[in-house]
Amino acid sequence: MSMKATVKSVTSGDTLILRGRPGAQGQPPKERILYLADVAAPKVGNATREDEDGAYESREFLRTLLVGKEVTFTSIHSLALSSGEDSVPRDIGSAEINGLDVTTELLKNGWVKLKESKREPTDDDNRRKDLENEAKAASKGLWNPEITKPVVHYSMPADSQGFVSEWKGKNLDAIVEQVRDGTTLRVRLFLPNGEHQIATIGLAGVRSPRGSSKPGEPSEQWAEEAKFFTEARLLQRPVRVQILSLPTSVASPFQGNTGATAPAPASLFIGNVLHPAGNVAEFLVGAGLARVVDWHAGMLAAGGGMERLRAAERAAKEKRAYLYAGLPAPSAASKSGGSATKPQHRVFDATVIRVWSGDTLTVLERESNKEHRVQLSSVRAPKQSDPKQTFYAQEAREFLRKKLIGKHVKVSTDFIRPKEGEFDERECVTVRFGGHNANVAEQIIEKGLASVVRHKRDDEDRSPDWDKLMAAEQAAIADTRGIHSGKEIPAPKAPLNISETSSRATQFLNGFKRLGKIPAVVDYVAAGSRFKVFLPKDNQTLTLVLGGIRSPRTTRNTSEKSEPFGEEALQFSTHRYMQRDVEFEVEMIDKSGGFIGALYLNKTENAAVALVREGLATVHSFSADALAWARQLYDAEAEAKKEKKHLWQDYDEEAEQAAAPVEEQASGPLKTDFIDVIVSDVRTRTGLAFSVQILNTPGIKSLETLMRDFSLHHKGPVATAGFVPKGGDLVSAKFTDGSWYRAKIRRASPVKKEAELTFIDYGNQETVPFSSIRPLDPQFRSLAGQAQEARLSFVKVVEPSSEYYVEAVDRFRSLCEGRKLIANVDHKEGGVLHLRLIDPNNPAALDDPTECINAELLRDGVALIDRKNCKYLGAYPQVVKKFQQVVNEAKRGRLGMFEFGDVEEDEDN
């Protein structure tokens, strides 16, 4: 009886594997083996034996003729079944296709030989013998004396990695020899040199359910359906194969290859198998018979393959096909584009203000001004705590710092990772920057400075660009970049802290001053005006304190309170300067080893000026007046006062206007204006500075009256319980002579219980214990301080480091201190008067500018014309000319600093 079946495959030129029609719900059909009667074909080889001559060509003829097509077959004899319920029936018989007898076609083309028969030949036997003789006479098929068998490698290549490297991504023609399961195929690769390589290919990006590997073990659900799906489409069909990778990645970061022997040959390759109709992996997933394998994303994402697989997976889930049959029906919210359980992602504009590591940042949301500490979704950076990873951890952080710090970014909140063990709740985000909205996570992974987190299969809490991240990691692995290089780089040496002690800092002071502006990175912001900066070139750190200002302090002790606006000043400096590339310059050092100077952002922005302009610092006139940017500080403070920012929110201009009785002239020389003064204080700690009282003024007369009342007031007890002086406070303070005077707090130390202050009527500066300080009674506040900051016009005495400095100070004291003098105001700068001091006993000095104390210091060789800091020199050309003549006289006389030659040029430089 004739039956119909589809040829599943051909094992040799005389053997067919047939299958019937599929069962209900796509169940695999029954199979049977048909041996063609009375003929024999050479046997195809395997791993233990070679092909017989012509075996491959014989099989190929029959495969091309029959595979995938329906035939009519007749069983002459059924062979006994082997034990087991799943034994495949085997028959001996014949087959026809489209009216052609298959055996006749084989004999006609010489691809099989007739077996010897013990029975009497029949007419069919004679006809077949004639066909064989005709093929033999024509040297067809197996009868061709020049027929050769191809070189076939049935075992996987010994050098698996080398084979992958040679053929990676290239299209190789192939025949699918076996389907082990829905996504694992054994193929015959046709190499360009004519050799055949048998290889096992796992389909990239997918995994189907697996059948049982051991007798008695159940198969995974839908395993047979998946296998049949692939077999029906690919078995013994011509395909193109793209080999992509080995089944396991290279060694994990920081895990070197400790084995001395070569790795064993791989059991399979990962790749694509492309049928003329497309990539079978996508059809398998779309049918619900395979799931997407996330870790293959690196191989497929670049060409869009992973995106197509995920689209097919979504379609299968919507259809509830096979593997997804048990999924709950989509909710109304999800059908309408929303989600009932997960909020829509929030996107906001922000500025990156700190980089903690290669995967963690702090950003400042622009709209709400709220800080967010966020983690890059699906990114894992090297650990700073692991010595093997420290180098790469620092490289990763530096990469992000250079890319993002201070930059405007778009932040998309992907999910919130809840608190887990020692890890706090984390806001996981995607950060994009620049005109092309580049994903910084993709960039750092591609540089080999971070890896991608392997999420669980159904974990949707991941980066929306997860596939692209995997592709970036694959590129880094291929190029052995960063953590994938296999190199163990020792942890970098800890930077030298040159502010650790004052003695160490002193060694660097002069070098820094010579260098001028020095490039650095702000490593930490300790307070509004105090920074820790890092010098990458020299691997050094130092403490930098902004000179010329006083910023309110913050406290690290929770039991104490910060000064008003201390936290705001710290926050301003942190947001503005933390981890920024900056420049700094140094003026001096403090007693703890900190360097006092200036910090510049973007070459021009002076951090001290910025703080003062925001009302988060005040100008410290004593130290500011000697700075080149003093004018900027005073202008910034005036602006902050005008706008009543922060520290100046309660500023009363009328009450404080006496604090700055003079203003700087706009330009040109001032009109000659002689005034009577007395030098009330001389200070020499950081160079020569002094204070004067202007005599014959209502203020001085009022001061005499005030001091009498002041003395009487302080003879009685004054309640001071709970009084803690703060910077800027007006107070009463006891001087070393035992008397009380009005003073202004420069800075106060609650820890040491002492304050640095300036006596506002005389200019003296002292450090006084809190026990000698009282609040200033309101009745003594109305009169402005009578001490006026001053400096010498046109000249500067030698530097404190000079051996002639003591001589210069002594000379100035002998000429000026405590004396009534005549002064001409040549320049006004903020609250500082630039004076020509004149001895009242020398009336000729009123007409001759060289007959003044300023010129006397030049004449003694202990001062020079200040060509660097006196901006007004050009307004007084005749005075400068005469002063230069005086200097020349000192040179000729080898006086003071000119004792051993002309040092003026060196001093000016």
Side-chain angles (χ1 to χ4, degrees):
M1 182 180 70
S2 296
M3 295 176 285
K4 292 185 179 294
T6 299
V7 178
K8 170 187 172 182
S9 62
V10 174
T11 58
S12 64
D14 59 6
T15 306
L16 314 177
I17 298 179
L18 307 175
R19 66 170 174 236
R21 298 183 181 277
Q25 299 180 351
Q27 293 175 348
K30 300 293 184 180
E31 295 181 0
R32 65 195 309 142
I33 299 173
L34 177 65
Y35 302 104
L36 296 178
D38 302 327
V39 293
K43 301 302 180 185
V44 178
N46 54 37
T48 59
R49 69 167 188 267
E50 293 185 355
D51 286 10
E52 295 179 1
D53 290 344
Y56 169 71
E57 290 82 356
S58 173
R59 192 204 72 166
E60 278 298 283
F61 178 85
L62 193 58
R63 182 193 67 78
T64 305
L65 181 66
L66 299 182
V67 168
K69 300 174 184 177
E70 188 175 67
V71 297
T72 302
F73 72 97
T74 302
S75 175
I76 300 172
H77 176 69
S78 294
L79 300 176
L81 291 174
S82 59
S83 60
E85 297 180 358
D86 298 329
S87 296
V88 178
R90 296 177 296 160
D91 299 289
I92 299 174
S94 60
E96 291 183 0
I97 181 170
N98 298 327
L100 296 176
D101 180 67
V102 172
T103 304
T104 299
E105 292 301 308
L106 287 166
L107 287 168
K108 188 188 297 186
N109 288 278
W111 291 118
V112 292
K113 296 179 181 180
L114 286 171
K115 295 178 179 179
E116 291 185 9
S117 177
K118 297 179 180 180
R119 67 174 184 270
E120 287 294 324
T122 64
D123 291 341
D124 282 343
D125 293 337
N126 291 330
R127 181 178 59 80
R128 290 180 176 180
K129 189 65 177 176
D130 291 340
L131 291 175
E132 183 181 58
N133 291 333
E134 290 175 6
K136 187 185 299 185
S139 299
K140 289 184 177 180
L142 301 176
W143 309 109
N144 185 348
E146 297 181 1
I147 190 171
T148 58
K149 58 185 177 182
V151 177
V152 184
H153 304 286
Y154 283 98
S155 299
M156 291 284 284
D159 182 7
S160 304
Q161 184 61 60
F163 190 84
V164 171
S165 299
E166 182 177 3
W167 301 109
K168 185 175 182 178
K170 298 177 182 178
N171 288 329
L172 291 173
D173 290 329
I175 296 291
V176 176
E177 296 285 358
Q178 180 188 4
V179 176
R180 292 185 175 177
D181 58 54
T183 52
T184 308
L185 315 177
R186 190 161 174 81
V187 300
R188 179 186 294 261
L189 302 173
F190 300 112
L191 304 182
N193 60 4
E195 296 181 2
H196 298 183
Q197 175 66 60
I198 305 298
T200 303
I201 304 294
L203 297 184
V206 296
R207 181 192 182 279
S208 67
R210 303 288 170 86
S212 173
S213 58
K214 296 180 181 178
E217 286 187 359
S219 299
E220 295 179 10
Q221 189 179 19
W222 312 117
E224 294 302 320
E225 288 79 0
K227 181 179 179 180
F228 172 65
F229 184 95
T230 304
E231 276 186 345
R233 290 159 177 79
L234 295 188
L235 184 61
Q236 290 201 330
R237 308 298 208 285
V239 294
R240 282 183 295 117
V241 172
Q242 296 173 340
I243 294 176
L244 300 178
S245 172
L246 293 173
T248 56
S249 302
V250 295
S252 300
F254 316 111
Q255 181 181 347
N257 183 11
T258 57
T261 59
S267 60
L268 81 162
F269 299 126
I270 303 298
N272 290 326
V273 175
L274 307 176
H275 186 271
N279 186 341
V280 69
E282 296 172 18
F283 293 106
L284 264 170
V285 174
L289 290 170
R291 296 183 186 274
V292 174
V293 176
D294 284 335
W295 74 268
H296 287 181
M299 311 173 198
L300 302 174
M306 207 66 186
E307 186 177 346
R308 291 191 292 272
L309 287 176
R310 294 202 187 279
E313 186 178 53
R314 287 193 294 272
K317 287 180 177 180
E318 291 175 2
K319 294 185 294 186
R320 303 296 185 271
Y322 294 110
L323 290 168
Y324 307 107
L327 285 182
S331 64
S334 62
K335 288 180 179 179
S336 62
S339 173
T341 59
K342 193 172 182 178
Q344 292 293 321
H345 293 171
R346 192 171 75 93
V347 180
F348 57 90
D349 290 338
T351 301
V352 178
I353 59 174
R354 187 165 188 179
V355 177
W356 297 91
S357 66
D359 57 19
T360 306
L361 319 166
T362 294
V363 299
L364 183 67
E365 187 173 354
R366 288 195 162 190
E367 184 175 344
S368 65
N369 208 36
K370 178 183 176 183
E371 289 186 20
H372 299 258
R373 181 163 174 166
V374 299
Q375 182 172 346
L376 299 180
S377 298
S378 304
V379 176
R380 180 174 289 119
K383 296 179 180 179
Q384 180 76 29
S385 57
D386 186 341
K388 292 183 179 180
Q389 303 183 39
T390 301
F391 172 81
Y392 294 108
Q394 293 187 8
E395 288 288 299
R397 189 179 79 156
E398 182 65 6
F399 176 84
L400 286 190
R401 187 192 71 80
K402 288 183 175 179
K403 284 282 184 185
L404 299 182
I405 197 70
K407 301 290 179 61
H408 170 221
V409 296
K410 285 192 176 295
V411 181
S412 173
T413 303
D414 301 323
F415 56 93
I416 304 295
R417 182 73 71 191
K419 181 178 175 63
E420 183 178 346
E422 62 180 6
F423 297 102
D424 294 331
E425 180 181 271
R426 288 165 287 169
E427 185 177 358
C428 297
V429 303
T430 297
V431 175
R432 301 183 186 277
F433 71 101
H436 300 290
N437 276 336
N439 184 348
V440 75
E442 191 174 346
Q443 292 191 356
I444 194 171
I445 289 170
E446 191 171 19
K447 286 286 184 181
L449 297 175
S451 59
V452 184
V453 175
R454 269 53 173 179
H455 297 279
K456 295 180 180 179
R457 185 176 65 195
D458 296 324
D459 184 4
E460 295 183 1
D461 286 344
R462 63 176 69 190
S463 168
D465 289 345
W466 194 86
D467 293 339
K468 292 181 180 179
L469 300 186
M470 287 294 292
E473 184 177 78
Q474 189 73 17
I477 292 172
D479 293 340
T480 61
R481 300 188 197 122
I483 60 178
H484 308 291
S485 66
K487 300 176 182 177
E488 291 187 9
I489 302 178
K493 290 180 63 177
L496 174 68
N497 180 9
I498 61 179
S499 288
E500 187 173 13
T501 62
S502 179
S503 58
R504 178 182 288 178
T506 303
Q507 301 172 27
F508 293 87
L509 178 61
N510 290 334
F512 284 159
K513 293 178 76 171
R514 283 195 301 270
L515 289 172
K517 290 185 177 180
I518 303 167
V521 177
V522 175
D523 192 51
Y524 182 70
V525 180
S529 59
R530 193 175 187 88
F531 304 87
K532 178 182 177 183
V533 298
F534 173 60
L535 285 65
K537 183 178 178 182
D538 303 310
N539 195 32
Q540 298 169 342
T541 61
L542 58 86
T543 299
L544 180 71
V545 181
L546 300 183
I549 66 170
R550 185 191 181 281
S551 180
R553 296 182 179 182
T554 57
T555 178
R556 297 181 181 179
N557 190 340
T558 55
S559 63
E560 297 179 0
K561 290 185 178 180
S562 298
E563 294 181 359
F565 299 104
E567 293 295 336
E568 288 83 349
L570 173 61
Q571 187 181 72
F572 175 85
S573 292
T574 300
H575 291 177
R576 191 81 181 148
Y577 306 112
M578 182 68 178
Q579 293 185 324
R580 300 292 193 93
D581 289 310
V582 296
E583 292 177 317
F584 72 95
E585 57 184 348
V586 169
E587 293 290 327
M588 62 188 75
I589 60 173
D590 61 23
K591 57 186 178 183
S592 65
F595 290 83
I596 300 174
L599 184 77
Y600 296 94
L601 178 66
N602 299 327
K603 302 288 186 181
T604 58
E605 181 184 314
N606 187 315
V609 175
L611 274 164
V612 172
R613 184 175 289 114
E614 287 297 316
L616 294 171
T618 57
V619 178
H620 182 242
S621 58
F622 174 70
S623 58
D625 293 342
L627 302 175
W629 56 92
R631 173 64 181 273
Q632 299 177 48
L633 291 174
Y634 284 115
D635 288 347
E637 188 172 66
E639 183 180 331
K641 288 179 178 178
K642 182 179 179 181
E643 298 181 11
K644 295 190 174 183
K645 290 185 175 180
H646 296 108
L647 289 168
W648 306 108
Q649 62 183 5
D650 299 323
Y651 173 65
D652 185 344
E653 185 175 3
E654 293 182 359
E656 296 290 336
Q657 61 183 352
V662 294
E663 297 179 358
E664 182 181 352
Q665 74 268 27
S667 62
L670 293 180
K671 182 180 178 180
T672 301
D673 181 19
F674 294 112
I675 57 176
D676 294 327
V677 299
I678 184 171
V679 176
S680 57
D681 182 58
V682 177
R683 298 178 295 279
T684 61
R685 187 173 63 176
T686 57
L688 182 62
F690 59 97
S691 298
V692 298
Q693 289 178 334
I694 303 175
L695 305 177
N696 303 320
T697 62
I700 288 294
K701 294 179 180 178
S702 299
L703 178 63
E704 295 175 0
T705 303
L706 181 144
M707 289 308 298
R708 284 197 300 269
D709 297 338
F710 199 70
S711 177
L712 293 173
H713 175 77
H714 285 81
K715 287 183 178 179
V718 177
T720 60
F723 174 64
V724 178
K726 299 185 295 295
D729 285 354
L730 288 175
V731 297
S732 300
K734 183 184 291 186
F735 190 51
T736 53
D737 64 0
S739 298
W740 292 82
Y741 299 91
R742 299 191 303 166
K744 185 174 184 178
I745 302 294
R746 296 167 59 208
R747 63 175 64 93
S749 173
V751 177
K752 296 181 179 180
K753 303 292 185 182
E754 62 183 24
E756 296 179 24
L757 48 77
T758 300
F759 291 95
I760 63 175
D761 295 312
Y762 298 91
N764 311 67
Q765 295 180 350
E766 295 287 340
T767 299
V768 178
F770 282 2
S771 59
S772 296
I773 301 175
R774 298 178 182 179
L776 183 63
D777 194 275
Q779 64 176 310
F780 301 117
R781 290 175 176 265
S782 59
L783 179 64
Q786 295 302 300
Q788 178 69 56
E789 289 286 327
R791 62 154 293 171
L792 293 172
S793 302
F794 309 116
V795 305
K796 63 175 181 179
V797 299
V798 292
E799 295 292 333
S801 57
S802 170
E803 60 183 295
Y804 301 99
Y805 180 66
V806 174
E807 181 182 344
V809 171
D810 289 344
R811 182 62 173 151
F812 180 80
R813 287 185 185 276
S814 66
L815 292 171
C816 302
E817 191 170 25
R819 293 187 61 193
K820 293 183 179 180
L821 302 171
I822 298 173
N824 184 65
V825 181
D826 294 307
H827 184 70
K828 300 173 183 177
E829 182 179 14
V832 181
L833 298 179
H834 291 239
L835 304 176
R836 236 180 305 162
L837 298 176
I838 301 168
D839 187 340
N841 298 321
N842 184 10
L846 299 179
D847 299 318
D848 185 353
T850 63
E851 293 295 326
C852 64
I853 293 173
N854 308 50
E856 193 69 24
L857 296 174
L858 296 176
R859 193 172 285 114
D860 290 340
V862 293
L864 288 170
I865 299 174
D866 191 358
R867 300 183 184 276
K868 180 179 179 181
N869 296 313
C870 289
K871 311 292 189 207
Y872 51 88
L873 283 180
Y876 297 88
Q878 294 302 318
V879 174
V880 175
K881 182 178 179 180
K882 290 186 177 184
F883 274 22
Q884 186 60 53
Q885 293 173 356
V886 173
V887 173
N888 293 338
E889 291 175 9
K891 291 179 182 179
R892 288 192 293 269
R894 297 295 180 98
L895 299 176
M897 74 179 80
F898 304 114
E899 179 180 0
F900 300 105
D902 186 357
V903 297
E904 184 175 20
E905 183 177 347
D906 293 338
E907 289 289 334
D908 289 342
N909 290 337

